[in-house]
Amino acid sequence: MNAKLTFLGTGTSMGVPTLGCDCAVCTSADVRNVRTRSSIALEYAGRVVLIDTGPDFRQQMLRSGLRQVDAVLYTHGHADHVLGFDDLRPLTFGRGGPVPVYADDPTADVLERVFEYTFRKVDKYPTSAKVALHRLSAEPGTAVSLFGASFERIPMIHGRNSIGGYRFGQAAYLTDMSDLPEASFDRLHGLDVVVLDALRREPHPSHSHLENSVRIAEKIGARRTFFTHIAHELDHAEVAAELPPHIQPAYDGLQLEFVIA
């Protein structure tokens, strides 16, 4: 089954342009250097599955032209990946049932705390998002089946935290990782597309930097690698020119096709 992946956003937690900055990337005329917070949408079998809903989610959906959401998977509970959750509301009304939302325990705890009015049992806010929260085990091999495709949670290292990426068919989305446990590499064989965190050139305590991301990409060996969660230290054209054709930076609105099942 074929699928389309759209990069809704490819930026770091502060976005690009970054507030208060007048560097060459933040003032660039290249639209590929305008990066909203990282998220993707997957379209297949007439369905739309999201991974993460950051603060720019409403703007991203309007720009993409997408008019439905059938499920959401979360990588972790940091603000730049969950704060658009409330903007799911109009997309969950009138659909005959709640939108399933999947998250590991720490992320689910964040969602239930920050959006308490959505999940409370008594005196529930009347126009809350109509969602059903499903907690995912953090154990390797955890997977959920959605509309004929399997989404396997891939354990990742995010500084001092353990979070999750996802493999779905011949593609994988691994944002916000500083490294991967060795066992996760074993779950990433035979990929057509892999999306990896590549924050900047200099090492960072909780994100992979460009050189390390290239090393990880080569170890995974996917046919195509795209970098996301990119900060304003990296100019798109400059980085694209120095990387091999099969390893490239992504940009907001980029679309890819692949086999999901």
Side-chain angles (χ1 to χ4, degrees), residues 3-243:
K4 180 168 66 176
L5 184 158
T6 300
F7 287 91
L8 297 178
T10 57
T12 185
S13 58
M14 292 185 288
V16 183
T18 300
L19 292 178
C21 183
D22 58 1
C23 74
V25 174
C26 286
T27 58
S28 170
D30 188 343
V31 296
R32 297 171 300 180
N33 283 329
V34 177
R35 304 173 181 130
T36 57
R37 269 60 74 94
S38 292
S39 174
I40 62 170
L42 302 168
E43 297 174 73
Y44 65 97
R47 305 285 189 163
V48 177
V49 176
L50 303 177
I51 300 183
D52 291 337
T53 55
D56 305 308
F57 173 63
R58 178 178 179 275
Q59 172 191 349
Q60 292 167 341
M61 290 294 283
L62 290 170
R63 181 181 61 196
S64 71
L66 294 172
R67 301 175 63 85
Q68 71 184 76
V69 172
D70 297 290
V72 185
L73 298 137
Y74 284 98
T75 58
H76 64 300
H78 286 175
D80 55 320
H81 295 265
V82 303
L83 284 188
F85 176 86
D86 196 64
D87 285 323
L88 288 169
R89 290 190 303 145
L91 298 172
T92 68
F93 298 157
R95 62 186 309 277
V99 171
V101 173
Y102 299 87
D104 59 20
D105 282 337
T107 307
D109 290 344
V110 169
L111 291 172
E112 290 182 331
R113 182 173 68 251
V114 174
F115 302 100
E116 178 272 339
Y117 55 87
T118 298
F119 296 102
R120 69 173 65 143
K121 303 301 182 184
V122 178
D123 193 27
K124 190 170 183 176
Y125 192 66
T127 56
S128 296
K130 311 305 180 187
V131 298
L133 181 59
H134 303 275
R135 289 175 176 257
L136 292 176
S137 168
E139 291 299 313
T142 295
V144 58
S145 179
L146 294 173
F147 319 116
S150 177
F151 289 77
E152 180 183 2
R153 186 182 184 277
I154 305 296
M156 306 190 300
I157 300 166
H158 184 27
R160 292 178 292 179
N161 299 318
S162 295
I163 66 168
Y166 294 95
R167 175 174 182 160
F168 30 93
Q170 295 181 10
Y173 184 68
L174 310 174
T175 188
D176 282 50
M177 56 87 193
S178 50
D179 211 341
L180 295 176
E182 196 61 35
S184 290
F185 284 100
D186 295 336
R187 299 183 176 278
L188 297 170
H189 294 307
L191 290 176
D192 176 18
V193 174
V194 65
V195 181
L196 299 174
D197 186 336
L199 186 75
R200 62 189 191 188
R201 294 187 187 276
E202 298 78 18
H204 186 278
S206 55
H207 291 272
S208 182
H209 60 286
L210 189 60
E211 182 180 357
N212 187 56
S213 296
V214 170
R215 178 190 65 80
I216 291 173
E218 291 174 341
K219 185 172 181 178
I220 292 172
R223 189 171 71 88
R224 296 178 286 170
T225 296
F226 293 90
F227 293 149
T228 193
H229 208 279
I230 305 167
H232 63 155
E233 286 90 343
L234 297 182
D235 175 79
H236 183 95
E238 181 180 302
V239 172
E242 68 186 62
L243 291 173

